[in-house]
Amino acid sequence: MAQASINSDYSEWGLSTDAGERARLLQSPCVDTAPKSEWEASPGGPDRGTTSTLGAVFIVVNACLGAGLLNFPAAFSTAGGVAAGIALQMGMLVFIISGLVILAYCSQASNERTYQEVVWAVCGKLTGVLCEVAIAVYTFGTCIAFLIIIGDQQDKIIAVMAKEPEGASGPWYTDRKFTISLTAFLFILPLSIPREIGFQKYASFLSVVGTWYVTAIVIIKYIWPDKEMTPGDILTRPASWMAVFNAMPTICFGFQCHVSSVPVFNSMQRPEVKTWGGVVTAAMVIALAVYMGTGICGFLTFGAAVDPDVLLSYPSEDMAVAVARAFIILSVLTSYPILHFCGRAVVEGLWLRYQGVPVEEDVGRERRRR
């Protein structure tokens, strides 16, 4: 594979005629071929994606929003209050948006369609392999965490519907092993099968609406709190600088969508860096509004006593909160396939490289393997 350094001339980047096929198969580069023609590389060429600008915004927002939304009130508490939490978010947002735009530029310049392919082209073979292994561990580890979150939320919803105390043993069909397996088979599997990530734009819209509902519930419960809810101490300043840094992982994870951003960029009808800048800015503003609404109101409602999962701080029998739990499940259900999509691409690329099978010889088996 032709390697290029970051400061190489644009004409020296390793471009390949099979980039369009790799965009569809999401496999890592393993052959050296000639550059694309100008017409093939243009937005109107045969490799043009199908995702609209608005659809891309919803996919990016959905990649950001998810179960991490529930941890922001606790992150504000750890950071030392509302002012520290907002300052931390705004400071990190500059680097997050810049990073997403740089990734799109590198993807366009190297003519690569996934995060790991961009790293291969820009940073070389060793860094590329390490990146692929890290992505595989991260994506599938997060997917396992998503299944656990689904089980936790389902347990509480079932307990409310069955009017049984939490932890009490019920019928076999309420066991979390069964409910998680059934949910994964009926909902997650169909969303994980498609070849293109652009398919997720429809499910992503529902997920984004669901997270807005969760935020609305947290805000409403702050304005009109239940009588039995007693807030703890409301911090106004960080206990130490270390406390601020302890809140950074939660906030950073909340906005993390870099692995899936490159295939989303290349699935757009017009994958241009300028347009992508508008997409990620709009997506981050939407995510920021949701996170700030949840973080500020959830923290002011419970103070230092807020649970790491803010929904656990509310009474279990509250039906509005139970609906919010259902929306969190919906959000996780639609976030899972996006991460799975990226993890599948990495494992596929590693496997083909290990087998020494060129991409163009493996096209016929792509559907079976997927």
Side-chain angles (χ1 to χ4, degrees):
M1 171 186 168
Q3 300 295 333
S5 62
I6 286 179
N7 59 352
S8 296
D9 183 77
Y10 184 89
S11 61
E12 295 175 354
W13 289 76
L15 307 181
S16 57
T17 52
D18 67 323
E21 190 60 44
R22 281 189 281 108
R24 291 187 288 273
L25 302 184
L26 281 179
Q27 296 158 344
S28 298
C30 56
V31 290
D32 289 320
T33 47
K36 277 184 169 188
S37 67
E38 181 179 351
W39 179 78
E40 286 176 312
S42 67
D47 293 325
R48 182 179 64 183
T50 59
T51 306
S52 65
T53 301
L54 184 60
V57 170
F58 278 115
I59 294 178
V60 174
V61 171
N62 187 44
C64 292
L65 298 179
L69 171 73
L70 306 178
N71 304 125
F72 268 70
F76 272 56
S77 177
T78 302
V82 173
I86 292 176
L88 192 57
Q89 276 185 293
M90 299 304 294
M92 295 181 66
L93 210 58
V94 175
F95 295 98
I96 291 168
I97 293 176
S98 300
L100 292 171
V101 173
I102 290 170
L103 279 173
Y105 171 78
C106 292
S107 172
Q108 189 175 69
S110 63
N111 201 39
E112 303 296 356
R113 305 301 185 95
T114 65
Y115 186 98
Q116 63 272 17
E117 288 180 345
V118 171
V119 174
W120 262 80
V122 176
C123 301
K125 178 180 179 179
L126 178 60
T127 307
V129 172
L130 292 175
C131 175
E132 289 181 325
V133 173
I135 290 175
V137 173
Y138 162 73
T139 52
F140 290 117
T142 305
C143 285
I144 292 171
F146 281 171
L147 292 177
I148 295 172
I149 292 169
I150 289 173
D152 290 342
Q153 303 300 329
Q154 285 178 333
D155 285 347
K156 295 190 175 295
I157 292 175
I158 291 173
V160 171
M161 295 178 62
K163 297 181 179 180
E164 294 179 352
E166 287 187 32
S169 58
W172 61 270
Y173 51 82
T174 63
D175 182 82
R176 63 183 292 131
K177 293 181 181 179
F178 175 77
T179 57
I180 292 175
S181 300
L182 184 64
T183 303
F185 181 77
L186 294 180
F187 300 103
I188 293 178
L189 178 61
L191 289 173
S192 300
I193 289 176
R195 184 169 57 182
E196 294 284 354
I197 200 170
F199 174 81
Q200 304 296 335
K201 60 188 176 183
Y202 305 107
S204 297
F205 174 76
L206 295 176
S207 175
V208 171
V209 171
T211 55
W212 288 345
Y213 173 84
V214 175
T215 300
I217 288 297
V218 174
I219 294 174
I220 291 171
K221 291 293 183 180
Y222 166 67
I223 298 174
W224 295 287
D226 295 336
K227 295 180 179 180
E228 61 269 24
M229 292 191 306
T230 304
D233 296 333
I234 306 295
L235 305 177
T236 56
R237 64 175 59 185
S240 65
W241 283 107
M242 188 60 66
V244 177
F245 285 113
N246 287 338
M248 287 182 65
T250 299
I251 295 177
C252 185
F253 179 78
F255 289 98
Q256 203 289 124
C257 58
H258 296 66
V259 174
S260 54
S261 68
V262 178
V264 174
F265 168 71
N266 287 286
S267 74
M268 293 175 61
Q269 294 172 353
R270 299 188 63 83
E272 299 171 353
V273 175
K274 183 177 180 180
T275 304
W276 178 249
V279 167
V280 296
T281 301
M284 292 302 111
V285 168
I286 294 173
L288 178 66
V290 173
Y291 284 140
M292 285 183 63
T294 305
I296 293 173
C297 294
F299 168 68
L300 293 178
T301 301
F302 300 103
V306 66
D307 195 279
D309 179 346
V310 67
L311 293 183
L312 295 180
S313 299
Y314 296 99
S316 298
E317 64 275 6
D318 192 316
M319 289 307 300
V321 175
V323 174
R325 294 187 192 282
F327 274 120
I328 285 296
I329 293 176
L330 174 63
S331 177
V332 172
L333 287 177
T334 55
S335 296
Y336 185 111
I338 295 176
L339 278 176
H340 173 271
F341 183 87
C342 299
R344 181 183 70 192
V346 169
V347 173
E348 204 169 29
L350 287 170
W351 172 255
L352 289 178
R353 190 180 299 109
Y354 174 77
Q355 293 290 321
V357 179
V359 174
E360 64 272 13
E361 294 181 11
D362 201 67
V363 173
R365 290 179 291 180
E366 184 276 333
R367 174 181 284 185
R368 245 190 351 260
R369 186 175 61 253
R370 172 160 51 87

